[in-house]
């Protein structure tokens, strides 16, 4: 196995995208997560970072159902 510096494998963009995705699953308020990650409200880039998975949908349905 070859050891390589992290900056050769991952970028700050990947870290930011991962942070947004993970945080969104915990908070589910795009305005809070967007502000934390430096995105303006309605950002198209931020919208691409979010992934609303089945678990998140089920959680919302259980809260309103």
């Amino acid at each position: 196995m070859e050891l390589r510096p992290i900056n050769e494998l991952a970028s700050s963009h990947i870290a930011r995208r991962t942070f947004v995705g993970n945080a969104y699953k915990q908070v589910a308020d795009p305005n809070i997560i967007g502000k934390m990650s430096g995105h303006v409200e309605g950002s198209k880039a931020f919208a691409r970072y979010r992934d609303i998975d089945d678990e998140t949908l089920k959680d919302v349905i259980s809260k309103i159902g």
Side-chain angles (χ1 to χ4, degrees):
M1 180 163 99
E2 178 185 350
L3 294 178
R4 298 176 67 185
I6 189 75
N7 67 324
E8 290 182 11
L9 304 172
S11 67
S12 61
H13 180 258
I14 290 172
R16 185 180 193 198
R17 186 177 185 138
T18 301
F19 169 79
V20 167
N22 290 336
Y24 188 75
K25 288 179 182 179
Q26 297 298 315
V27 178
D29 184 335
N31 294 320
I32 292 172
I33 305 304
K35 185 148 182 114
M36 290 173 66
S37 62
H39 291 95
V40 296
E41 191 170 337
S43 167
K44 290 181 182 181
F46 179 75
R48 289 190 302 264
Y49 288 177
R50 291 187 323 187
D51 179 34
I52 302 172
D53 58 13
D54 290 342
E55 184 178 323
T56 302
L57 290 174
K58 288 177 187 177
D59 184 47
V60 170
I61 290 169
S62 72
K63 288 178 181 176
I64 61 173

